[in-house]
Amino acid sequence: MIFIHESESVISAVERHSKKNGLYLIFIDGAYAFTVHEDVLIKHRLLKGERVDPDRLRAALEDEELQKAWSDALRQVGRRPRSEKEVRQYLKRRTYEPPIVDRVVTRLKEHKYLDDADFAAQWTEQRIYSQKKGRRWVKQELQQKGVAPATIQEALDQVPVDEEERLAFELGQKKWKLTSGGILDKKRKTAAFLMRRGYSSAIVSKAVRRIAELAPDERRGEDEDPDMWDWPDA
């Protein structure tokens, strides 16, 4: 914690940080007081010989905290797209106070670095097309990331059902070929696999039936479980 004298003080020295570019060490009345970013230094005229009152120092320190939170947030959204909830949780873990978090989030939105609709669209496309996950899986992930239900639905609606069916079929074919047993065993195991990947029972049913019909040299005539395709989509 930085101690601020309740009286006017004098900045006795200003030194560049020896290891971190853009940071400066501020000395008040001959003793080290705190470190600030160059932008804060300039904004508050924290120059050698300046006389500063407590309110001016508090304002400078608040801006420094805001600058640090902003830099931390930029690093987070720079690694990959983030939802607003993710950024808020991250800044909270970094022990920033709610007013600082609110200001940073607002600024991120203004600069288009934070947009839940864009985030949900990118996340959905990556999960469905690259990882071949079903929309139930994607919906659950986006819910956990704090994206609004309407925004989630809008992102999912951008994926045609026939595309999801195609991806489920391709994934199911690979699973089928690696699965041992009779045709009923293969149907069960392939269906269970696709359900775990987040595909709906309707898409799973269609994919598995088509795979079974196209599978060469499979034993036919085995009784099919009548409840096989009645699994819930929840």
Side-chain angles (χ1 to χ4, degrees), residues 18-58:
S18 61
K19 296 181 179 179
K20 298 181 180 178
N21 292 331
L23 295 184
Y24 290 81
L25 283 62
I26 307 299
F27 294 79
I28 294 179
D29 296 334
Y32 167 77
F34 51 84
T35 301
V36 296
H37 189 273
E38 183 178 18
D39 292 345
V40 177
L41 178 83
I42 295 172
K43 177 181 178 180
H44 294 275
R45 284 187 54 82
L46 302 178
L47 308 175
K48 181 179 179 179
E50 280 283 315
R51 303 189 70 85
V52 289
D53 59 36
D55 289 340
R56 185 174 169 187
L57 288 178
R58 290 191 186 94

Side-chain angles (χ1 to χ4, degrees), residues 174-182 185-187 189-190:
K174 293 178 181 179
K175 177 64 177 178
W176 183 282
K177 292 175 182 178
L178 297 174
T179 302
S180 60
D185 286 332
K186 289 194 171 190
K187 282 183 176 181
K189 292 175 183 178
T190 302

Side-chain angles (χ1 to χ4, degrees), residues 118-153:
D118 184 56
F119 166 77
Q122 290 187 53
W123 189 272
T124 298
E125 182 175 346
Q126 195 271 342
R127 282 295 192 266
I128 289 181
Y129 287 101
S130 298
Q131 296 191 7
K132 290 186 172 61
K133 299 290 179 64
R135 64 184 67 215
R136 287 192 300 116
W137 181 296
V138 177
K139 181 179 180 180
Q140 184 176 5
E141 285 187 323
L142 290 174
Q143 286 174 336
Q144 293 172 348
K145 294 180 181 300
V147 180
T151 304
I152 295 174
Q153 191 59 52

